[in-house]
Structure formats: structure tokens, C-alpha cells
């Protein structure tokens, strides 16, 4: 995999957000981690939320975000709560 969009869950829009924060390769995303990538995106885009975090985590793990283990999804929710980031925009 050479480009971010080769990863699962990374479409054109999310790829553009990652490029904007300086993450240009799958390796850079893996090294940054989903939580840190989301925080960096959120610094310029307050719409970044739980679904995006799950998409990033799934991309790192090489799976669709729907397939993330329930325990990992709970950890991600707790991370958002700890950072006072709404889980949903609704």
C-alpha cells in the first residue's frame, strides 16, 4: 500500500484531511496512531468525531471500521470523553 486511500475506510475526503495535517503515507498514519491523528485533524476541523476515529483505527488495523472489536470501540469512546470531544455531532 502506497497511498492513504489504499487503506480501508480512507476515502478522498479523509485522505485530504490527513494530507492537510502532514500525514501522507500509510506508515505515517500507523506511526501517528488513530487518536493522535484525530486530535490533529480536529485542530482544524471540529467535525472530526467518533466515526472518523473508528475509520482511522480500522485503517491502521487493515479492517473496515464496523469490524473493530467492541472493546476497542469502547476504548476510543473513553478517549473522546477524556478529551471532551463529543462522540456524535447530533
Amino acid at each position: 500500500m502506497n497511498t492513504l486511500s489504499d487503506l480501508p475506510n480512507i476515502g478522498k475526503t479523509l485522505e485530504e484531511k490527513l494530507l492537510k495535517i502532514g500525514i501522507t503515507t500509510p506508515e505515517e498514519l500507523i506511526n501517528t496512531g488513530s487518536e493522535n491523528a484525530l486530535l490533529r485533524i480536529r485542530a482544524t476541523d471540529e467535525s472530526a468525531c467518533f466515526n472518523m476515529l473508528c475509520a482511522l483505527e480500522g485503517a491502521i488495523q487493515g479492517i473496515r471500521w464496523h469490524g473493530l472489536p467492541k472493546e476497542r470501540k469502547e476504548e476510543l469512546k473513553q478517549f473522546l470523553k477524556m478529551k471532551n470531544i463529543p462522540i456524535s455531532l447530533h
Side-chain angles (χ1 to χ4, degrees):
M1 284 184 229
N2 296 324
T3 66
L4 291 165
S5 61
D6 291 334
L7 297 171
N9 313 312
I10 307 293
K12 183 176 179 166
T13 301
L14 186 49
E15 182 178 37
E16 288 173 359
K17 291 176 190 292
L18 290 167
L19 293 172
K20 185 176 179 180
I21 61 165
I23 296 175
T24 61
T25 66
E27 294 77 22
E28 289 174 346
L29 177 57
I30 291 165
N31 290 336
T32 301
S34 59
E35 293 99 331
N36 286 328
L38 185 87
L39 291 177
R40 288 169 58 183
I41 292 170
R42 192 153 171 87
T44 61
D45 178 1
E46 288 192 8
S47 72
C49 63
F50 179 68
N51 289 343
M52 186 179 293
L53 180 56
C54 288
L56 292 166
E57 180 64 24
I60 288 169
Q61 292 190 27
I63 60 174
R64 295 285 299 150
W65 73 270
H66 297 69
L68 286 173
K70 184 178 178 180
E71 298 80 18
R72 183 60 179 140
K73 286 183 181 179
E74 275 305 312
E75 290 171 359
L76 296 174
K77 283 181 183 177
Q78 290 305 314
F79 170 79
L80 292 178
K81 286 180 184 177
M82 184 178 72
K83 296 293 184 181
N84 294 317
I85 297 172
I87 291 176
S88 172
L89 296 177
H90 307 290

